[in-house]
């Protein structure tokens, strides 16, 4: 660093602007200030990280039509970080849930900004009652600088001769919102977004000609530093630890972190078709702005993993050549039996009593808004292709739905399904007690009767078609995994999930009732209370009561390991404890596994690209 007289020169770094361009803000100084302004040359290489949230993890806004129909002052369909609004909706009727969470009448609540030279403020877009910044304040206005790529622009002092009050200035919060961070549930995902942004853009430090790995990665005094840290400490005893060479190889590169919200009510296949071009445009924009951007790395949560797999499938996103690799977190690889349970009996509470308060604020908001009973959940998910794609598919395996007597003896051998869950469970007629959908619960808002929708859009036939399509999608991507895949998931005895579904006879003589497949469900709430208790009548007239049994498989509270999470085809899988499904990315082990996967994926990209000089 050169010196001018007694004063050191001023050194500045480039940052990343809201339009994906490298920029640096320089403030002019008085002529008496003899220091030079020097700017460090930024890396030419750039690989965006794109994060996909899970179901209900993306903010949605209502169409103008639906907003008017439900007479809502604003167009918020779903914003989980607005805890007051979300918690109020725990008591919403099934009809209200159906109207506000209609896949055909919502879209992602994107953040857009425009600079108004006359008013010196950012204009409102997409909402008649709120500005973009206030609507997206789940990323708080006072967000501190996260990395050298995500920091507030410098502001001129008030008495500076060029300070006109009309200079263009973007805060770190606005830049994060422009990267999509406010499209997703920031309360669940903010930590991982900020951690990736900070860590991945602070890999190397230079001392003259000597380049070393930054302390945040290599410090011996930091238990969370990944260089040399045994992966056994975060879930895999066989994987090699990261080495300094791994970081040095990929450190001279920018890794801006983006979040992509999506309409989780629609099919993941359809969403992949829409998002694929957006990702391609992002890559093209970075390249047009002078960077060398070969593609992106995906990081997913839960259902976002199905979307990520659809993005690299040729019939959906067709983006395999532009995805360098994927890190999957708690993905329902082949579905989850919890989806069946929730359509029949609603969302369950936390597995830990002491966790209940926090669970209500985070995962509990998701559970409560979708519904505490089968009637409420069915009103949403029976009309939502995306939710139906979480049902167990053929690859989930056979025999996961059982019926037992009071002593725990299986009454159907072999258990259901034998081969096809759709034909043997999901599409059965209402009187079949083990069927999935109660047709009386599909349209509580009476959209069909009122003419808001036709029979091809709402009702039993429409739902059956959605189930068939959901299974076709699941089977289409069953073998679709990126060659560079890393995965982490929960296997915690304190966070149980349904590996299998068990209906148990709790009242009545099961041994005298004959074949359970001949039992008939009684009509109405007398037959099904929507909370996991049903009453049936055997062929010879014996009444029986059956109850859904609690989950009993160590997991993350939602996705079972054996039948689903562990079926991901990955180079490294991390089996972890200490978190529930929605809160997984708050866990240090899941965070470490994510950073580990991103580093390995970047290292695996073409050596000639890394060796190429900028």
């Amino acid at each position: 660093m050169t010196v001018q007289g007694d004063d050191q020169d001023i050194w500045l770094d480039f940052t990343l602007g809201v339009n994906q361009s490298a920029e640096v803000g320089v403030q002019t100084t008085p002529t008496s200030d003899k220091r030079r302004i020097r700017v460090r040359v930024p890396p030419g290489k750039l690989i965006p990280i794109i994060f996909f949230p899970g179901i209900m993890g993306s903010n949605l806004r209502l169409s103008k039509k639906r907003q008017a129909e439900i007479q809502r002052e604003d167009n918020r369909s779903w914003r989980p970080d607005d805890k007051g609004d979300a918690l109020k909706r725990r008591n919403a009727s099934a009809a209200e849930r159906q109207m506000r969470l209609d896949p055909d009448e919502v879209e992602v609540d994107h953040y857009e900004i425009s600079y108004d030279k006359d008013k010196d403020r950012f204009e409102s877009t997409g909402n008649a009652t709120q500005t973009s910044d206030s609507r997206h304040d789940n990323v708080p206005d006072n967000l501190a600088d996260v990395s050298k790529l995500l920091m507030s622009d410098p502001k001129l002092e008030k008495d500076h001769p060029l300070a006109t009050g009309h200079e263009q200035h973007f805060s770190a919060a606005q830049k994060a919102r422009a990267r999509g961070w406010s499209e997703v549930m920031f309360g669940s995902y903010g930590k991982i977004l900020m951690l990736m942004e900070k860590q991945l853009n602070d890999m190397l430090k230079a001392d003259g000609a000597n380049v070393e790995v930054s302390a945040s990665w290599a410090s011996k005094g930091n238990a969370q530093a990944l260089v040399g840290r045994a992966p056994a400490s975060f879930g895999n005893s066989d994987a090699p630890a990261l080495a300094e060479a791994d970081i040095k190889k990929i450190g001279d590169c920018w890794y801006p972190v983006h979040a992509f919200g999506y309409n989780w009510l629609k099919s993941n296949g359809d969403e992949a078709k829409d998002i694929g071009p957006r990702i391609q445009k992002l890559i093209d924009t970075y390249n047009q702005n002078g960077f060398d951007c070969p593609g992106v790395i995906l990081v997913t949560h839960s259902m976002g993993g199905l979307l990520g797999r659809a993005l690299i499938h040729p019939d959906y996103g067709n983006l395999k050549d532009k995805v360098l690799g994927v890190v999957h977190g708690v993905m329902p690889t082949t579905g989850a039996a919890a989806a069946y349970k929730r359509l029949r009996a609603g969302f369950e509470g936390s597995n830990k009593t002491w966790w209940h308060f926090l669970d209500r604020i985070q995962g509990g908001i998701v559970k409560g808004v979708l519904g505490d009973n089968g009637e409420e959940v069915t009103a949403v998910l029976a009309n939502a292709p995306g939710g139906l794609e979480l049902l167990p598919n053929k690859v989930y395996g056979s025999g996961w739905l059982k019926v037992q007597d009071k002593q725990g003896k299986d009454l159907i051998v072999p258990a259901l399904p034998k081969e096809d869950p759709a034909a043997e469970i999901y599409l059965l007629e209402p009187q079949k007690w083990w069927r999935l959908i109660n047709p009386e619960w599909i349209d509580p808002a009476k959209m069909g009767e009122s003419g808001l929708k036709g029979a091809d859009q709402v009702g039993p036939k429409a739902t059956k078609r959605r189930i068939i399509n959901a299974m076709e999608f699941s089977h289409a991507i069953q073998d679709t995994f990126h060659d560079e895949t890393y995965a982490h998931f929960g296997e915690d005895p304190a966070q149980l999930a349904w590996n299998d579904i068990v209906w148990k006879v709790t009242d009545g003589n099961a041994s005298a009732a004959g074949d359970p497949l001949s039992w008939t469900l009684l009509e109405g709430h007398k037959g099904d209370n929507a909370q996991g208790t049903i009453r049936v009548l055997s062929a010879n007239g014996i009444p029986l009561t059956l109850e859904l049994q609690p989950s009993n498989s160590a997991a993350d509270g939602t996705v079972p390991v054996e039948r689903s999470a562990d079926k991901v085809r990955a180079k490294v899988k991390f089996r972890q404890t200490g978190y529930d499904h929605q809160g997984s990315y708050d866990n240090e082990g899941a965070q470490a596994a994510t950073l580990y996967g991103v580093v390995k994926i970047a290292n695996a990209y073409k050596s000639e690209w890394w060796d190429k000089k900028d």
Side-chain angles (χ1 to χ4, degrees), residues 53-55 262 264-265 268 301-308 330 332 386-387 390:
I55 187 172
Y262 60 96
W264 40 269
L265 294 162
N268 288 287
H301 178 249
S302 188
M303 190 170 84
L306 305 185
L307 174 60
V330 297
L390 297 177

Side-chain angles (χ1 to χ4, degrees), residues 377-389:
V377 174
T378 298
V380 177
L381 296 190
N383 298 293
L388 296 173
E389 288 168 359

Side-chain angles (χ1 to χ4, degrees), residues 7-21:
D7 299 319
Q8 292 183 333
D9 286 354
I10 300 172
W11 283 85
L12 300 175
D13 285 304
F14 273 86
T15 186
L16 199 58
V18 293
N19 296 318
Q20 289 81 56
S21 59

Side-chain angles (χ1 to χ4, degrees), residues 12 38 82 170 224 289 356 383 395 446 497 506 564:
L12 300 175
R38 296 179 178 268
D82 185 348
F170 295 98
Q224 302 304 317
N289 286 341
H356 183 65
N383 298 293
V395 186
K446 308 298 182 184
T506 57
S564 189

Side-chain angles (χ1 to χ4, degrees), residues 112-126:
E112 300 172 17
I113 55 178
S114 59
Y115 179 62
D116 188 323
K117 293 183 179 180
D118 296 325
K119 297 181 180 179
D120 193 23
R121 62 185 296 273
F122 300 107
E123 288 295 290
S124 167
T125 59

Side-chain angles (χ1 to χ4, degrees), residues 138-154:
N138 55 328
V139 174
D141 289 333
N142 63 352
L143 181 73
D145 293 346
V146 182
S147 75
K148 62 178 125 183
L149 305 192
L150 188 55
M151 56 192 303
S152 296
D153 292 335

Side-chain angles (χ1 to χ4, degrees), residues 257-270:
V257 176
H258 293 256
F260 274 47
Y262 60 96
N263 187 345
W264 40 269
L265 294 162
K266 286 188 174 182
S267 167
N268 288 287
D270 291 340

Side-chain angles (χ1 to χ4, degrees), residues 213-229:
V213 176
S214 296
S216 60
W217 287 89
S219 173
K220 302 301 182 184
N222 179 7
Q224 302 304 317
L226 284 181
V227 170
R229 180 183 173 188

